[in-house]
Amino acid sequence: MNKESVRAILATDCGSTTTKAILIEKIDGEYRLTVRGEAPTTVEAPAEDVTQGVRNAALEVGELAGRPIIDENGDFIKPYADGKGIDLYLSTSSAGGGLQMMVAGVVSSMSAESAQRAALGAGAVVMEVLSSNDKRPAYEKIEIIRRLRPDMVLLSGGVDGGIQKHVVEMAQLFGAADPRPRLGINYKLPVIFAGNKDVREQIERILGKKTALEIVDNLRPAIDRENLQPARQKIQSQFLEHVMAHAPGYPNLMKMADEEIMPTPAAVGLIMQKIAELRHINILGVDIGGATTDVFSVFDGVFNRTVSANYGMSYSISNVVTDAGLDKVGRWMSFTIDEADLRNRIKNKMIRPTSIPYLAEDLEIEQAVCREALRLSFGQHYQLASGLKGLQRGNNIDSMFDEERGGSLIDPLRLNMLIGSGGVLSHAPERWQAALMLTDSFLPCGITQLTVDSIFMMPQLGVLSAIMPEAAANVFEKDCLIELGVCLAPLGASGRKAEAGKEIMQGQIDGEAFTLHSGELLLKKVPQGKTVKVGLQPKRGFDMGAGEGKPLEREVKGGTVGLVIDGRGRPALQLPEEENERIRKMQEWRAVMAG
Amino acid sequence: MSSAYVPGLTVSDFMELKLERRLPLKGKVVVKVGQKVSWNTVVANTLLPGRVELVNVASKLGIAPEEVLQAMRRKEGEAFEKDELLAQSKGLWGFFKSNLYSPITGTLESVSEVSGLAVLRAPASPVEVNAYVNGEIAEVMEDEGVVVRTQGAFLQGIFGIGGESAGEICMFCKSPSEETDINALSREHCGKILIGGSYTTCAFLKKAVECGVKAVVVGGISDRDLKDFLGYDLGVAITGSEQVGLTLILTEGFGRINMAERTFRLLQANSGRWASVSGATQIRAGVIRPEIIIPLSERPERSENAEKAEGVKGLAVGAAVRLIREPHFGELAEVVSLPPEPELIPTGAKVRVAELKLEGGEVMRLPRANLELIEN
């Protein structure tokens, strides 16, 4: 198809509960989002056919656009002609829990971690990571492999030409466990081997008959080299061939789509990489859902994704509280609440996930949990988005069992854009609430633009970016992102706690001077679409990105919230320890943000 | 057009049910279509692969991994008894041989000359699936399981723990607002499904386990009591596999919440009857709610109110709903009107609302998303 002639594109994202459709049309020479619609996903009984939900969502789009997209037989009208139909139909999918994988390697912080990165980057939810040195006995690992029913397994381990023993042992564990796939009992579980190339024959012998085995290039061919692409591509092709082909209605959906269907998170990763590349910036994005929280980053062109499978705002809201602790959740609230009452409210949200807060205090509780879910998920991302580990240990794998950590690629001072998405952020009643949640959870330092994805259309734009990158980038910039503003936050020298009320930065915004004190939060209104010049002079011991105590001048964009000047502490937020004082500060900061 | 999602729990005095009973692996179905079954009738069985033991033959015999195949005294696929000679090293000039005896009875599954490991598998263990409810076999899924058909009262709870069980319905509380009284609990309740009112506690549940109670159905429990009873904090809403000695079903949620009048009355009407219960809950795509199934041979006479409520389908004026969020959490109401335009609520959000008449007569507007239809 000639891409230039495309006038109307329908893209859907088939989520676990909702199928979201967007219509992108060429208007005056540029692609813009014109209509969006949604319908319940129909993977499960009684419909058990994902295409029904897609058609319903497309019908809604057609109704809203005032022109038909689907004919009386339920087929897309193609190509676009006489004001009817579309030229292109694309889709992503995370229905039925998305792609659930188990990964294994020899050393936790090396091949197993690389395998994890490969699976996550391909859009999977990693249910379990096994490694030869994870200290669990063999029977326990076998039990885990048996109990969990993944869609796919990625097995790695050993550098090419290196020791063979450990990776063969790991394959034996899988063989002994005789794992079963999640969908159906008549299929063989897809297993991808991406380890030491010298043991392929052994692996074939152990797993060839029991599983649908595929062998690809080693994802860690040498200690200092990671080669994730072959494994990622194989994961995505296996996802289409095995997992999707067995899901209700997907064979038809694959026929309806003009390009391959992508796992939703893989598509989000694509659009983020595209934007980072076009703008030459570092990006951190988060999508917080009911069950999981995905964190994406592109730093110096390197893409990383993690999914925190049990941190979310409904189905797994209780797990956030369990892992973070009630006190950590409670510290974000501007009122006191009885612990038993708080526990019950959170559990009631878990069992009735579609309910929404009606009282202001209920909203504050949910937003407090959100901060902790984001903080915990970001912590996991920070750990995994790292350089290759174990480089300084020579090439004897046995000696690698003492793991050596590489540094994280995430540098908060060099983060240019923070993108939040998911209902609790995108649909916060007030935009300042989303800005404050992002700021509190990610603690951006220096100058960081804060945005939210208005309706979470990144998946659809991601799949579009694979074939029409310019069109996807245009819609992303003009219709997808809501610019909240910019966070200006000085980073304190490590380990030093700034004295409360001490002056930590002076500055000017469009000629208007301000002084920032420790523990203070300021808001300067700069409307969306306006760019202003800021001059910043952090005090000695504080850094805005130019070095400790060094001045900085920049042009920054305004937003629906404005410029948030945050002196509340970096790298760690300094909240008052005394309860009444903490509540007073919370109320004060919320009042500042509310303007 | 899409609309606000209003989930509903089924509380029906009579309906036909078809329940799938599947094996975890392929196996044998032992019943036929049309056959009458009881809740404990085995309908299908299979063999689960035995547990696996990994033995590091190379290290135990002090030989190199590539010598392991030669050292094995059993071939792959061969069976052996516990303490039988499994492998032997060559030794030095025929002396100083090292022996490896099998730690289990089973078969030799595989041996690797790269890792030096042998995989031993214990005999397969049988697993059975029962009918779960009294009824008849409606369908046989060859090698996989059956569909059991039954008819009777069907009630869904909002949350539960513990697996499938069966017993006689016993009204433990006299009203939906009564809390379970630990002093009233005794061995007389052994084997029963106890119907409580608004609230139960960890202490009550622990004593119920001691008394041999099969299940407790109640309006609410505090999260802290649930944590104490389970022994851990429940993180994710997937339950059903807990081994806690009984099945617990909450009909309303966490906290002190009166059991819905209709639920209580329906259970009361079936007091003394045999029921099957399951606490399994999964709140995600493919929602599973805990359930109580009371098989009945014929449709009971119905009250006028039930008939009236059944006439209203979906969220419409006149529908009976339960409020599932503060304020008035747990209370019942009737839909008075459904304003089409979104309205501002105290959080600052604009959402679609419903005008409701609460049981006390108060009329107020609340988000449609915070209503639960009481379905028949």
Side-chain angles (χ1 to χ4, degrees), chain B residues 251-266:
Chain B
T251 59
E252 315 303 317
F254 289 88
R256 273 186 176 77
I257 320 163
N258 294 354
M259 185 183 286
E261 187 77 23
R262 261 189 77 218
T263 308
F264 189 82
R265 296 287 164 236
L266 180 54

Side-chain angles (χ1 to χ4, degrees), chain A residues 16 38 44 60 63-64 97 100 138-139 142 146 149 164-165 168-169 172-173 175-178 180 185-186 199 202 205 210 291-292 309-310 315-319 322 339-340 343-345 347-360 362-363 366 429-430 433, chain B residues 1-2 5 7 24-26 49-52 54 76 109-115 117 119 121 144 158-159 221-224 227 233-238 251-255 283-286 289 322 324-327 329 345-349 351 365-367 369-370 372:
Chain A
S16 286
E38 62 183 45
E44 284 153 19
E60 181 168 312
E63 277 175 26
L64 293 169
Q100 300 189 8
Y139 72 85
I142 290 172
R146 251 191 204 179
R149 286 185 148 195
Q164 303 175 7
K165 186 175 120 182
V168 171
E169 255 177 43
Q172 278 186 289
L173 289 185
D178 199 6
R180 306 278 161 165
I185 58 177
N186 296 317
V199 298
Q202 288 282 332
R205 196 170 76 79
K210 289 185 169 176
T292 62
N310 286 322
Y315 168 80
S316 36
I317 190 169
S318 259
N319 207 51
T322 303
E339 187 197 314
R343 291 183 76 105
N344 287 344
R345 286 189 198 216
K347 279 287 192 300
N348 281 324
K349 169 72 182 180
M350 176 184 83
I351 60 175
R352 290 183 163 106
T354 52
S355 68
I356 60 170
Y358 174 83
L359 301 172
D362 259 359
L363 178 70
E366 283 197 13
E430 304 285 347
Q433 292 165 343
Chain B
M1 292 288 291
S2 59
Y5 174 61
L25 299 171
K26 280 197 171 192
R51 71 181 171 84
V52 166
L54 261 76
E76 284 183 3
E109 185 154 302
S110 71
V111 183
S112 168
E113 52 193 335
V114 175
S115 65
L117 291 182
V119 178
R121 190 178 290 279
E144 292 184 21
I158 190 74
F159 177 80
I221 188 172
S222 86
D223 180 43
R224 197 182 279 164
K227 181 187 169 192
D233 218 340
L234 193 80
V236 182
I238 301 178
T251 59
E252 315 303 317
F254 289 88
I283 303 154
R284 208 175 181 176
R289 295 288 185 183
R322 190 188 334 242
I324 58 171
R325 190 93 188 215
E326 300 289 351
F329 175 50
I345 59 171
T347 57
V351 299
R365 292 181 171 208
L366 290 171
N370 292 354
E372 194 167 76

Side-chain angles (χ1 to χ4, degrees), chain A residues 363 367 424-433, chain B residues 347-350:
Chain A
L363 178 70
Q367 294 186 344
V424 65
L425 293 168
S426 297
H427 299 149
E430 304 285 347
R431 293 286 180 206
W432 66 261
Q433 292 165 343
Chain B
T347 57
K350 265 189 142 183

Side-chain angles (χ1 to χ4, degrees), chain B residues 49-53 55 74-86 101-110 119-125:
Chain B
R51 71 181 171 84
V52 166
E53 188 110 356
V55 180
R74 285 281 180 276
K75 286 183 187 154
E76 284 183 3
E78 280 186 359
F80 46 78
E81 295 292 315
K82 187 171 186 283
D83 297 328
E84 252 191 60
L85 183 67
L86 201 62
Y101 298 97
S102 171
I104 59 165
T105 295
T107 51
L108 179 63
E109 185 154 302
S110 71
V119 178
L120 317 182
R121 190 178 290 279
S125 53

